[in-house]
Amino acid sequence: MVNNLVHLGNTIWQWLVQNIFSISALAISLLTLHRNRTTLEVKFSPRIDRTMDLSTEITDKNGNYIHAYRNVFLVSVEIINSSPNDIAYYDLYAFDPKTNNFLEFVNPKAFSFSHPGVGVIHYINKVTFNILNVPLEQYGVFKANSYTKFDLPLLLLIPMK
């Protein structure tokens, strides 16, 4: 019995010595895979708020009115990139899951050519407003170990009757 255990020990030792490079490569690969894992945690606001008509506005850099919108729904999105890598995104869009129709964003980029430094604000009442963090592009990068918050004002296009 002791002879069998010694023989088994020698066999295992020879196998480990012969495969040490393969075992090391596997260990390094698994460690690298664990360190470079990419995860995004995405949280949507618990409610989608319908804003008052004409309470979502495009303003210039001095806060002067440029354009207002009707039928706007406001959604906030929080993204946490806890991975050690930057993660790019493309084709940021919203759609109605019932009809699969795409929804338009309120985007100040169209006004930036004639009014540099435009922004989007949302009036909560006649005095109080929020400056919305609206992405100018439908693509971008979530930096490594970062927190990003978007406000997405969505236009609901109601057909004329």
Side-chain angles (χ1 to χ4, degrees):
M1 170 122 171
V2 173
N3 212 7
N4 287 343
L5 288 175
V6 170
H7 180 65
L8 178 64
N10 284 337
T11 305
I12 292 173
W13 177 251
Q14 288 174 356
W15 184 85
L16 285 174
V17 168
Q18 291 172 354
N19 294 301
I20 191 72
F21 292 114
S22 299
I23 295 168
S24 300
L26 177 63
I28 291 170
S29 297
L30 292 174
L31 181 65
T32 303
L33 178 67
H34 177 70
R35 283 188 178 170
N36 290 328
R37 65 190 179 280
T38 55
T39 57
L40 284 180
E41 183 178 336
V42 180
K43 294 181 184 177
F44 290 92
S45 56
R47 314 179 342 204
I48 297 176
D49 297 323
R50 180 164 186 180
T51 64
M52 297 178 297
D53 278 347
L54 304 176
S55 67
T56 303
E57 296 182 357
I58 303 288
T59 60
D60 66 11
K61 64 183 174 188
N62 298 323
N64 298 321
Y65 168 87
I66 297 175
H67 185 73
Y69 292 94
R70 294 181 187 269
N71 301 317
V72 174
F73 289 84
L74 189 58
V75 179
S76 293
V77 181
E78 298 174 354
I79 299 108
I80 299 171
N81 180 5
S82 59
S83 73
N85 301 316
D86 294 348
I87 299 174
Y89 66 92
Y90 301 94
D91 293 334
L92 176 65
Y93 64 89
F95 68 95
D96 182 355
K98 291 180 182 175
T99 63
N100 287 332
N101 291 336
F102 288 100
L103 302 174
E104 295 289 329
F105 293 119
V106 171
N107 193 327
K109 186 175 181 180
F111 298 94
S112 64
F113 298 111
S114 57
H115 300 86
V118 294
V120 180
I121 62 172
H122 169 245
Y123 282 94
I124 297 167
N125 54 42
K126 292 185 180 195
V127 178
T128 308
F129 65 90
N130 289 328
I131 299 172
L132 300 180
N133 183 20
V134 178
L136 294 177
E137 304 289 347
Q138 290 181 318
Y139 57 89
V141 174
F142 299 118
K143 295 292 185 187
N145 300 312
S146 67
Y147 169 81
T148 306
K149 181 179 178 191
F150 291 146
D151 296 309
L152 299 175
L154 303 171
L155 290 172
L156 183 62
L157 302 175
I158 299 174
M160 299 286 239
K161 293 183 180 181

